[in-house]
């Protein structure tokens, strides 16, 4: 009788064991992204999803870049599960009361540069001069570049430059050109490509890498979870897939394919025609590198970056895990 009782007890426990053994089901992952360097690996992930993210269905949602209120509304309406946008923007959302979002991982990337005319050999020549910022003032290209130059005792006048045809026309004309331009990728590569292809009268070259001056790679971008109801296993799969794609992009043998995917993505998704050559140059020169991280050292970098560049402390509860 005791033996039968023990057997029945084992059988009654079996469904519970099986329940806990069931793996996470495939999910639709709605991911918002902006037209900055973070988009390149995401377009690769979408194109090669069967290889890097086979268990889930990735759906891309355009990020209203430059419009914080629209981004906030998108998150509040739960139109997305994850969003890629700059670290400081998400911190300000969180500090401002948007507590549904949480920082999954920063994307540590080098993607902001300061260009000067080739004939100017000294950064001190920028002091008091007009420097255009793309896409505009108060964005990371402005804030990070200003921080570095201020430490050098150099104080230019930063002016919004946009990122389209108007900016390009100013840069190619020596009479209209500013003393410098602070810009993110892939715009930097576009400028360098166009001046060669169109034989600009005014020529530019990279004069400063702010990330290098700030001690190496800095957490400019970030992956945010937009609401709390995301399966942790799905989140883990997404982060792992992004890491795999970042590693895949480092292999020169993949640059041609990656450039073709990126050009197609920017053209169709953002309506931004960027030639494949721009992305090939960007990857070959390693002007952008991506790296996620959730360890203590990465968290320290986040807190140091926010404190040293923006003079704010990381709010409590910022990190998702």
């Amino acid at each position: 009788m005791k033996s039968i009782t023990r057997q029945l007890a084992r059988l009654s426990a079996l469904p519970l064991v099986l329940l806990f053994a069931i793996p996470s089901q495939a999910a639709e992952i709605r991911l918002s992204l902006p037209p900055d360097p973070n988009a390149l690996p995401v377009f690769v992930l979408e194109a090669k999803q069967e290889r890097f993210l086979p268990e889930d269905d990735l759906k891309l949602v355009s990020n209203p870049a430059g419009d914080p209120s629209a981004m906030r509304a998108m998150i509040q309406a739960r139109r997305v599960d994850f969003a890629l946008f700059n670290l400081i923007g998400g911190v300000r959302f969180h500090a401002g009361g948007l507590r549904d979002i949480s920082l999954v991982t920063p994307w540590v990337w080098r993607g902001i540069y300061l260009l000067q005319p080739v004939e100017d050999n000294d950064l001190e020549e920028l002091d008091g001069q007009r420097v255009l910022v793309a896409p505009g003032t108060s964005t990371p290209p402005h804030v990070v570049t200003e921080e570095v130059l201020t430490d050098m005792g150099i104080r230019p006048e930063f002016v919004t430059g946009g990122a389209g045809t108007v900016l390009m026309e100013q840069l190619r004309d020596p009479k209209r050109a500013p003393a410098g331009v602070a810009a993110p990728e892939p715009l930097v590569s576009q400028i360098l490509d166009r001046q060669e292809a169109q034989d600009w009268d005014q020529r530019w070259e990279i004069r400063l890498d702010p990330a290098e001056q700030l001690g190496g790679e800095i957490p400019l971008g970030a992956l945010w979870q937009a609401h709390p109801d995301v399966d942790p296993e799905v989140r883990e799969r997404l982060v792992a897939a992004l890491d795999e794609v970042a590693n895949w992009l480092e292999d020169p043998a993949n640059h041609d394919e990656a450039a073709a995917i990126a050009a197609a993505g920017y053209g169709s998704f953002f309506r931004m025609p960027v030639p494949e050559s721009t992305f090939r140059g960007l990857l070959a020169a390693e002007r952008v590198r991506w790296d996620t991280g959730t360890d203590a050292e990465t968290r320290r970098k986040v807190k140091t970056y926010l404190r040293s560049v923006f003079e704010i402390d990381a709010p409590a509860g910022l990190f998702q895990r």
Side-chain angles (χ1 to χ4, degrees):
M1 184 68 180
K2 290 181 179 179
S3 176
I4 294 174
T5 302
R6 283 197 295 268
Q7 290 179 19
L8 289 173
R10 292 193 190 100
L11 289 173
S12 64
L14 185 59
L16 185 61
V17 172
L18 290 176
L19 177 64
F20 283 107
I22 295 175
S24 172
Q25 294 184 347
E28 179 181 89
I29 301 175
R30 300 168 300 167
L31 174 62
S32 172
L33 66 158
D36 65 19
N38 287 320
L40 198 162
V42 173
F43 285 138
V44 171
L45 177 58
E46 181 192 39
K48 303 177 79 65
Q49 185 171 330
E50 289 187 5
R51 172 176 175 178
F52 295 114
L53 192 63
E55 297 181 51
D56 302 298
D57 183 18
L58 184 66
K59 299 290 186 183
L60 303 187
V61 181
S62 181
N63 182 329
D67 187 348
S69 61
M71 187 71 248
R72 185 185 181 97
M74 179 185 291
I75 293 172
Q76 287 178 316
R78 291 200 174 194
R79 289 181 52 204
V80 294
D81 305 303
F82 297 93
L84 282 165
F85 53 92
N86 64 72
L87 178 65
I88 184 61
V91 169
R92 286 171 174 161
F93 279 164
H94 191 279
L98 192 61
R99 298 304 167 83
D100 274 352
I101 69 166
S102 54
L103 177 59
V104 176
T105 172
W107 268 35
V108 181
W109 53 277
R110 306 174 76 127
I112 289 175
Y113 296 94
L114 175 66
L115 293 86
Q116 270 187 291
V118 294
E119 61 270 16
D120 296 338
N121 298 316
D122 196 335
L123 285 171
E124 292 182 357
E125 296 177 11
L126 295 173
D127 194 41
Q129 300 300 307
R130 184 172 61 105
V131 171
L132 296 186
V133 181
T137 55
S138 299
T139 62
H142 170 210
V143 176
V144 173
T145 303
E146 183 177 44
E147 172 71 17
V148 171
L149 292 180
T150 299
D151 286 346
M152 297 178 176
I154 302 168
R155 293 175 173 78
E157 177 192 358
F158 288 97
V159 180
T160 294
T165 303
V166 174
L167 174 65
M168 294 294 181
E169 290 302 317
Q170 289 186 75
L171 297 184
R172 68 182 298 166
D173 184 353
K175 295 180 180 179
R176 301 176 59 196
V181 55
E185 288 288 6
L187 181 59
V188 170
S189 292
Q190 283 183 279
I191 292 169
L192 298 177
D193 277 358
R194 286 196 187 186
Q195 71 177 8
E196 297 299 328
Q198 300 173 359
D199 193 22
W200 287 3
D201 292 331
Q202 179 62 63
R203 315 289 281 189
W204 299 86
E205 62 185 8
I206 294 174
R207 189 75 72 228
L208 177 70
D209 176 355
E212 183 176 345
Q213 298 299 316
L214 289 170
E217 295 173 337
I218 55 178
L220 291 170
L223 175 66
W224 299 88
Q225 183 172 309
H227 61 80
D229 300 331
V230 174
D231 186 331
E233 292 187 26
V234 173
R235 181 176 61 245
E236 293 292 336
R237 290 198 294 264
L238 176 61
V239 172
L242 290 171
D243 275 340
E244 285 190 62
V245 170
N247 291 332
W248 183 87
L249 285 167
E250 291 184 9
D251 187 345
N254 298 325
H255 287 179
D256 285 346
E257 183 180 3
I261 292 171
Y266 273 78
S268 62
F269 191 73
F270 294 126
R271 302 293 189 268
M272 291 175 59
V274 181
E276 292 181 25
S277 60
T278 294
F279 294 107
R280 278 197 296 270
L282 180 155
L283 291 166
E286 297 185 350
R287 283 194 291 267
V288 175
R289 298 290 294 274
W290 300 269
D291 184 28
T292 62
T294 57
D295 57 9
E297 176 62 17
T298 302
R299 293 189 179 213
R300 183 193 64 76
K301 286 182 179 180
V302 167
K303 293 177 181 178
T304 300
Y305 170 66
L306 293 174
R307 166 50 52 189
S308 63
V309 177
F310 296 96
E311 298 183 349
I312 62 173
D313 292 319
L318 176 66
F319 290 91
Q320 200 283 323
R321 48 181 175 169

